Amino acid sequence: MENLEQEQFMSSIVELITESWRLYHYTDGLVRRISDARVQKRGLNQTARFHKHMKSAMDKLNLEIVDFTGQDYVTELPVHPINLDDFNSEDALFVDVTLEPVIKKKDSAEIIRPGVVVVGRRDA
């Protein structure tokens, strides 16, 4: 029973990390579009503070987030591309958008949760 509780706890933590990452990136993007410099600076300070605390919590949990956005897509990446069927096998692809990041054990190759991405074709 204790093992099941630990798995459920870890699953909940990973879900919270994923949603926090998503909210952070969305909020940071919005704040960067604010034209009022004072309001933008305050918003950027808040997102930076959140990021700092999130990183500290992740370190304590011995977990890390990996975002492959912009990198070449290869099948060995621990991600699920939701639009892979839109391309041919000879297309050179890259990770265009990360919808959910990879969550892994820190300093390890152990993947806790694979990411979900949208891939795009590299221009020749």
Side-chain angles (χ1 to χ4, degrees):
M1 185 69 161
E2 187 174 309
N3 221 6
L4 179 60
E5 288 175 2
Q6 287 178 346
E7 286 178 28
Q8 290 173 336
F9 176 77
M10 183 56 81
S11 177
S12 295
I13 291 292
V14 168
E15 189 68 31
L16 184 60
I17 289 167
T18 300
E19 292 307 316
S20 296
W21 175 90
R22 192 181 309 211
L23 182 60
Y24 165 78
H25 282 275
Y26 178 76
T27 304
D28 189 66
L30 286 178
V31 167
R32 291 179 186 282
R33 292 187 206 138
I34 295 173
S35 58
D36 183 320
R38 277 181 5 148
V39 175
Q40 184 188 55
K41 182 177 180 184
R42 183 172 180 203
L44 289 173
N45 286 341
Q46 287 295 316
T47 56
R49 182 176 186 271
F50 175 83
H51 190 266
K52 174 184 162 188
H53 286 280
M54 182 70 171
K55 174 128 177 47
S56 175
M58 297 281 295
D59 288 344
K60 290 174 185 169
L61 292 166
N62 198 34
L63 297 173
E64 64 183 313
I65 294 172
V66 182
D67 181 346
F68 292 104
T69 300
Q71 294 187 31
D72 289 341
Y73 171 75
V74 292
T75 57
E76 292 79 20
L77 288 179
V79 297
H80 172 69
I82 63 171
N83 65 331
L84 193 58
D85 292 339
D86 296 346
F87 303 97
N88 298 317
S89 59
E90 63 273 357
D91 289 334
L93 303 176
F94 73 105
V95 177
D96 190 21
V97 177
T98 297
L99 301 174
E100 295 182 7
V102 173
I103 310 294
K104 65 183 267 318
K105 292 262 178 142
K106 192 171 184 177
D107 301 323
S108 165
E110 184 180 344
I111 302 299
I112 304 300
R113 178 190 240 176
V116 178
V117 300
V118 175
V119 293
R121 185 179 294 112
R122 286 254 186 237
D123 293 328

